[in-house]
Each structure stands twice: as C-alpha cells, then as structure tokens.
Amino acid sequence: VVDEIFKLNEDPNVQGVALDLPESAYSSEVLNAVKPEKDVDGLSDVNLGCLVRGDAFGCLVSPTACAVMEVLENLDGKKVLLVGASGALGASLQCLLHRRGAMTMSCHWKSPQLQNQLHQADVVVAGSTKPEEIPVSWIKPGTVVINCSRDFHSEKHHGQQNSHPVGNDVCSLAVAMRMQNMVKSLERWIQSQQYRKWDLRCLKLQPLSPVPSDIEISRAQSPKAVDVLAKEIGLLTDEIEIYGQTKAKVRLSLLERLKDQPDGKYVLVAGITPTPLGEGKSTVTIGLVQALTAHLNINSFACLRQPSQGPTFGVKGGAAGGGYAQVIPMEEFNLHLTGDIHAITAANNLLAAAIDARILHENTQSDKALYNRLVPVVNGVRGFSAIQLARLRRLGINKTDPSTLTEEEISKFVRLDIDPSTITWQRVVDTNDRFLRKITIGQANTEKGFVRQAQFDIAVASEIMAILALTSSLADMKERLGKMVVANDKKGQPVTAEDLGVTGALAVLMKDAIKPTLMQTLEGTPVFVHAGPFANIAHGNSSVLADKIALKLVGEKGFVVTEAGFGADIGMEKFFNIKCRASGLAPSVVVLVATVRALKMHGGGPNVTAGAPLKKEYTEENLQLVADGCCNLQKQIQIAQLFGVPVVVALNVFKTDSPAEVDLVCETAKRSGAFDAVPCNHWSAGGRGAVKLAQAVEKAASQKNSFKYLYNLELPIVEKIRIIAQKVYGAQDIELSPAAQSQVDRYSRQGFGNLPICMAKTHLSLSHQPERKGVPTGFILPISDVRASIGAGFIYPLVGTMSTMPGLPTRPCFYDIDLDPDTEQVKGLF
C-alpha cells in the first residue's frame, strides 16, 4: 500500500489521494505516507498539526470531522461525547468542537464509565461500530446521535424514537466534504504553479580588516540549506534535486510552469583587456547581486560558469569570486560541484572511443561481417535500431527490413570510411597535463597496427561543453549532439556522432548535466552555476538555460547578472553574436569592469606576471600611466556601443589605488560614452560596497535599448571574420593561411557557411600579439586555421597557435592543498 501511495505522490497528474482501506490498515505509516498537500482525508500528522495550531486554512481537515461539524448547531456549553473516535478522527473532532465552544469527553466502547457518560451527553459522536452488548437505551432522550460508522443502528434498537440519529446524513456529507477537499487540493496546486513573490532571508556579513583569505571568509559564513533557499525564491519541491546541503539541480520543467511570466532585466558583466591576474569580473558579478538583493531589496540572480579543476590545481585558482563577494561553499564550487564536467568527460571520450573502434572494425571486416554484427539476430528477430533507421533515411534507403537491403546498400550503410587524417575529435581530461598535448594511440597488438597521433584537450574545451552552454532543451541538446562533426570521410563529406550511432548514449550521459546547479552568495542571494566553455576556442559564457530560468524566477522587475570570459572584445562579442542568437534574449545593460592596475599596464607600465610581486608603478600613484591606459577602456566602451547596449563602468578598487586615480578613470569613462562609472569596494565590504553600482545598473536598465548583432549570418565566412577583426579589434585587415582558406571553402561547400563566428584569439591584447597593449592599430590579423563546432553551432578561426591543454607550472597550487582527516575540511584552497 505504501509503495502505491509513493507512486501517487510522485505522479504530477494526481493532485489528491483518498484512502479507502480496511480499518486495520490505517496505520501511522500508511497515513503519513501520503504527501500532506495530497492528503484529502486530512489524516496525516502534518495536516493534524496545522489544525491543532489553528491553521485550518493551511491544511486539509478530515472530511468526516467536517461533516459532523456541519450538522451540529449551537454547541455553546453542550457536552459532546466521542465514543470509539480515536486517532486522527478523534483528534480532529476534539479540536473543531473546542473551537465551537463545546465541552468534549472521549472514551472507548468498553470504558466502565460509558453508561454514565452517555447519559450526561447532549451529543454523542460514534467513530466506530457499537458493540451489540451496549444498548441504545443508555442514551438519554433528546440526545443527538451522530454516527460516523455505517452500522451503528443495525441492531434491533435502531428505531428508538427518543434519540435523533443522523448517521446516513453524515456519511453522505463526508463524501461531499472529501470532494471539497479534492477541489481545495487542486486549487492549491494551481496556485502553486503560479509565479510566487520571493521571501528571501539574506545572510548578514561582518567584514573584517584586513580581509582574510577567501576560504576563511567562506567558512565563517553559515549558508542556508539549499531547499530553504529554493523555497524562498519560488521553486517547488519537485523542481529541485538536492546534492548535499548546499547544492541542488533545478529541473527544466520550471520553464514550462512559468512560460507566461515576463522576464526580468538581463545584465552582462564584461571587462577591459586584462592583466594575467584578471580584473575581478566574477567578484563584481557577485558583489552586484549582493547589493541588488541584500541591500536594495531587488530580486536578482547571478549566473556563473563552472570552473575547470585544471586551473584550480594549477596556477589560476578558483572562479567563485573573492573576498566578501563570493559563492559559498567555495570549495564545493571549485571542485566537483554536481559532476557536470565528469559527465562531459565521459560523453566526450565515449565518442572518441567510438570513432577509433569503428575505423578498426571497418578495416578488419567484410561488409557482410560488419552488417551481421551491426544488425544482429536477437531472439530469432533481426531489426534496425531507431538511430540506424535514421541513418538509412539519410542515405536515401527507405527500407525497414534488414533482409531486403542490396549488397550496395549494405556497403553504404556499414561503411563510414572515416579518413583518420581528418579526425578533429579529441579525448579530454579535467587536469592540466602538458604531456597529453601530443600522444600516439593504438600501440597495443590487439589494435592490429592501427596507430595514429592524437591529443588530449582539457575537458572544458570539449564541444559538448559548448553545446551544454547553448542548448535550450533536452531535445535540442540531443539534436546538437547528433550534429557534431568528428571527421570527414574519404570523399570529403562530414561524419557526425549521429552517423556513429552514439547520439542517444551521449544524451543519456548528459541528462543530469543539463540542469543548472543552485548555490548562494555570502549574503544568501541565489546563484546558478552551469557550464564553463573555454573562452578562447569556444564562447566562454555560462548556460542559456540558467539565464532563462533565472529571468523567470526574478520577476519582471528583477535582474539576472551573468559574466563573459576574458575582455569585452572576446567574451562580450561572443555573448552577443553567439549566445544571444541561440537564446533569443536581449541584454539590458553591460557592466564593464576595469582596474587602475590594468589601465596602468595599457598606459605603458611594466609587465605583470602571475606569481611575481607588482612593480612600484602599480602600487604608487601615477596619473599619467592611468590617463595613457584609458584608451583601452574607451575602446571597450565603443565595442559595447556597437551593439546598442548602455554601458556602466565598474572600477574594481584596490587598496593601492589613490582617490585621484579613481576619479580620473570614472570621469574619462563618462566622457567616453558610459552611462555611468562607479568605484566599487565589494571585495572588502560585500554587497554594501557595490550599492552605487547596483543603483547605476538599475537606472541604465530603464534606458531605451537598441540591441543589434554585429553582422548578418548570411554573409560569407571570411567577411564575418573581417567585420569582427576591423570593428572590434581595430585591425586593418585579415590574412588567411592557405590551410585556413581551404577549410573555409570546405565548410561553405558542406553547408556550414551561415554559422556565427567564434574567434580564438589571445585575451591579453586587442590584437593577436599579447605584448601589444593599449589600442593597437594598423595590424593585419593572421588566421592560421579555421575549425568548426557544428553541434554547438559556430565556426572558430584560430588567430595564431591556440593551446587547448594547459600545463602545470613549477609550483602548482596543489602544494598548498590538503585535507584535515578529522574534520574533513579542505585546506589551502585560495
């Protein structure tokens, strides 16, 4: 019985569960197995508890008890005896009767005082079958008798005229009351499906000076349980899948539930051309939402990328923000999270294994042997799988019976004829390992001499990660996975994951990864962490799905703040031209992050190197360096204006910045076309240090927005590359290598010419040369190669050499990382 109740609890089409069981089956286990919101009999402990506390509106009350109360009138001071009405029914009746002013007594049928109590009672309510040895004559004349048991008057005394039995009326009325509870339950369910106003309890911050390490700050705050956070922002219990105490996956069904809810405002955080140290875009993103929600009482959501573990143990460190503007718990954010990157790794490497295995089997078997193994006889029946039937249709073979294919059709079906020299699909691992940049595979004797050179990429460089970030639904993801081109055949035609028959398996591996992960900031405001594509060979933005869900949850007046990787010339341009095309969303504001440090570098300051102390030019006031470097800030503002979106400059202030330097940057930004420019101290003060930024963003979002894309997709590939190079980077022109031109011609012939462009270029300069700071001009942008991510939906030209596998430095971060075996706490993580 309990198992069946659990099934009904989880069935979204069932809004009420009524129990009609033998009396002996009504155990506490059974009654409490029913979800309280579906308990139309009102017998669960939760509903009874609400009733006892006086919350009759917030609970479902026993229909039988309600029926009894419906037939009783004017109970003030009257004595009501409950006989044989124990358990949930008795408790409900006692509570309801007390509220109506009645004096209640309760006993069982075998009580020695039964005769005396029956004689005193003005009303008798029988909750169970009366034993035959108890005569009806014990009831005093004029007593109202209410029978909740169907055979109370079945004995010969049932016709006694001095009492007033109303048993049949109560039973019929109880049925009606149960139906009323059914309607109430359904009404509540309908109401629960509507958008709900947030009831968010923000967490208090007590910033210290000097500012402790990131992990010390994270540990000093006690995060809310994630199910509490989910309820506060209007998520339903069946819309979250909890991972531990502080993380939860959010189901995509929410998008259907809130499809008619207007979206909130959409804010992109980008940056100027950074130093190798980064300028704090993640920190600004977190500080901004903490300011909006915890200090201005405006609903807001941060949508961040999931960091790769490679840099976490390598040199860069985490991506949870920092100081008093970060996502917590930061160690969970920066490590495995909910396993999305592991799922991508498994899916990516399954496809890689399928490619090499298919080449091996085609090289060592005849058409007939391949066909017999690809379409085997199972239990005496031979049939094509669904994905094989789809391949037959693509080949123009409209047959469903394996025995009817001709030899020529069998050969076309079984042979992909992959050209090994054209394989572009690489294996991946989420670790910085320079010795996997070039490897040889197939050296075992079992691979029969099929040896080829290959490589490993870092997991976040996988096209599957880019697909996860751009997909709009499970069906869309599956379609994109099938379209991934992994190689060409020997005739020059693309070979896809769908041709290899692996699409369904990839979708299965990714079915949980498609759901965004809910976490929180230090001040208890909500964050989605989802997807983390490489920002050089991919678009470097978090997922479309996380943004869309967040935009529904914040409400029409709320804000969703997301971040673009690297400088505005790379991450922001790709956000607009690739992500916004995929999502159909239009941003309201761009927040452009700058630092005095980076501007001094662009003004001619000495090189900034990760891990090395900063030179005095960066720690002492130098207005000339700042003024000279503001050209990069001005250029990035102009790039944002190409897309018709208002810009607010957020100056991420360091303790070594002088007031004069800060004022100079803000004034220059405003003169250069920024809507506003605001100094921010969120790193040291939390959301309170970004309140002025939040106010500026709110005002900018109310401005007229004329968002537009930079180029038309119908333009030739080369022309789209040229537009980006000239209008965004400031190049004089582009120059394609013969290999790049050959690839452009091939993709155009194969029908991929109408895809957007995802430039793979250094982030350390507007040009292709990292050492050229400020705003380089007059340069020719060299395109060394052109590749395609067809499933993700973009062409990516390579500007120079682009590594997709980082290496470990001489002293990696892992030297400082340890685990306390007693407390299980992570040590040394930033």
Side-chain angles (χ1 to χ4, degrees), residues 352-372:
I355 295 166
D356 290 314
R358 186 59 176 262
I359 294 172
L360 171 69
H361 294 313
E362 288 189 23
N363 285 345
T364 56
Q365 296 179 54
S366 66
D367 290 352
K368 183 178 179 181
L370 280 169
Y371 193 58
N372 288 339

Side-chain angles (χ1 to χ4, degrees), residues 628-822:
D628 292 345
C630 277
C631 61
N632 188 271
L633 174 61
Q634 292 169 313
K635 173 63 175 175
Q636 302 286 11
I637 292 171
Q638 291 165 12
I639 293 170
Q641 290 172 335
L642 289 174
F643 298 91
V645 182
V647 180
V648 173
V649 171
L651 182 63
N652 192 12
V653 177
F654 295 169
K655 62 182 180 181
T656 54
D657 300 343
S658 73
E661 289 173 331
V662 170
D663 291 343
L664 174 60
V665 175
C666 291
E667 288 304 316
T668 302
K670 291 174 190 175
R671 286 199 309 270
S672 302
F675 175 83
D676 203 349
V678 184
C680 305
N681 298 287
H682 46 275
W683 182 80
S684 58
R688 191 176 302 281
V691 167
K692 289 184 179 178
L693 173 63
Q695 291 169 335
V697 167
E698 186 183 14
K699 289 178 184 175
S702 65
Q703 300 298 300
K704 185 178 179 182
N705 189 321
S706 54
F707 173 67
K708 57 184 180 292
Y709 302 119
L710 186 64
Y711 53 78
N712 190 319
L713 289 180
E714 306 302 317
L715 290 172
I717 292 174
V718 172
E719 187 57 31
K720 287 182 282 195
I721 298 172
R722 181 174 285 111
I723 288 172
I724 295 171
Q726 292 178 335
K727 292 190 175 182
V728 177
Y729 307 151
Q732 181 179 324
D733 204 352
I734 61 173
E735 184 177 44
L736 274 69
S737 70
Q741 186 62 59
S742 175
Q743 285 292 78
V744 167
D745 295 341
R746 171 176 287 172
Y747 293 140
S748 299
R749 284 196 309 272
Q750 291 175 342
F752 304 139
N754 290 344
L755 294 176
I757 303 299
C758 183
M759 299 291 285
K761 180 186 79 71
T762 179
H763 61 291
L764 296 174
S765 172
L766 284 163
S767 74
H768 57 290
Q769 297 167 301
E771 67 278 6
R772 296 188 68 178
K773 305 302 181 183
V775 182
T777 57
F779 61 92
I780 304 296
L781 193 73
I783 310 299
S784 60
D785 198 3
V786 177
R787 299 176 188 169
S789 293
I790 304 304
F794 53 74
I795 303 289
Y796 62 99
L798 271 63
V799 181
T801 304
M802 196 59 56
S803 174
T804 52
M805 172 54 80
L808 290 174
T810 304
R811 193 186 190 283
C813 294
F814 62 63
Y815 275 91
D816 302 309
I817 298 172
D818 200 0
L819 183 71
D820 187 317
D822 296 322

Side-chain angles (χ1 to χ4, degrees), residues 201 222-230 232 245-247 520:
R201 177 183 63 87
S222 297
K224 293 178 282 190
V226 72
D227 58 331
V228 172
L229 173 63
E232 288 177 344
Q245 296 296 311
T246 56
K247 306 184 297 291
Q520 63 194 284

Side-chain angles (χ1 to χ4, degrees), residues 77-240:
K78 289 189 176 179
K79 295 180 180 178
V80 180
L81 175 63
L82 307 179
V83 190
S86 59
L89 175 60
S92 299
L93 282 168
Q94 288 216 32
C95 188
L96 294 171
L97 287 164
H98 272 297
R99 284 190 203 153
R100 290 273 292 273
M103 299 171 58
T104 60
M105 303 176 288
S106 179
C107 67
H108 52 81
W109 288 111
K110 295 185 178 180
S111 170
Q113 290 81 32
L114 177 61
Q115 183 174 1
N116 181 49
Q117 289 179 320
L118 284 171
H119 190 71
Q120 293 179 26
D122 301 307
V123 179
V124 175
V125 180
S128 59
T129 305
K130 179 183 71 63
E132 290 188 4
E133 63 268 22
I134 305 297
V136 176
S137 60
W138 285 7
I139 302 172
K140 72 178 182 182
T143 300
V144 176
V145 178
I146 298 181
N147 173 24
C148 303
S149 173
R150 298 182 182 182
D151 55 356
F152 181 83
H153 292 279
S154 61
E155 53 150 305
K156 60 184 179 181
H157 300 98
H158 76 275
Q160 182 170 324
Q161 296 179 358
N162 291 332
S163 61
H164 303 282
V166 287
N168 291 336
D169 292 340
V170 169
C171 289
S172 301
L173 193 53
V175 173
M177 291 295 183
R178 180 190 263 183
M179 292 303 297
Q180 194 173 62
N181 274 356
M182 287 277 193
V183 172
K184 187 176 182 181
S185 176
L186 182 59
E187 287 175 341
R188 286 183 181 173
W189 178 83
I190 292 171
Q191 189 177 13
S192 75
Q193 301 303 299
Q194 309 304 310
Y195 176 80
R196 283 189 282 178
K197 186 179 178 181
W198 285 19
D199 184 22
L200 192 69
R201 177 183 63 87
C202 292
L203 303 177
K204 299 296 182 184
L205 271 187
Q206 295 180 323
L208 301 176
S209 182
V211 177
S213 70
D214 289 353
I215 199 162
E216 287 175 319
I217 293 171
S218 176
R219 293 242 174 92
Q221 185 66 286
S222 297
K224 293 178 282 190
V226 72
D227 58 331
V228 172
L229 173 63
K231 186 176 181 181
E232 288 177 344
I233 61 174
L235 286 164
L236 306 182
T237 53
D238 60 358
E239 288 175 339
I240 61 170

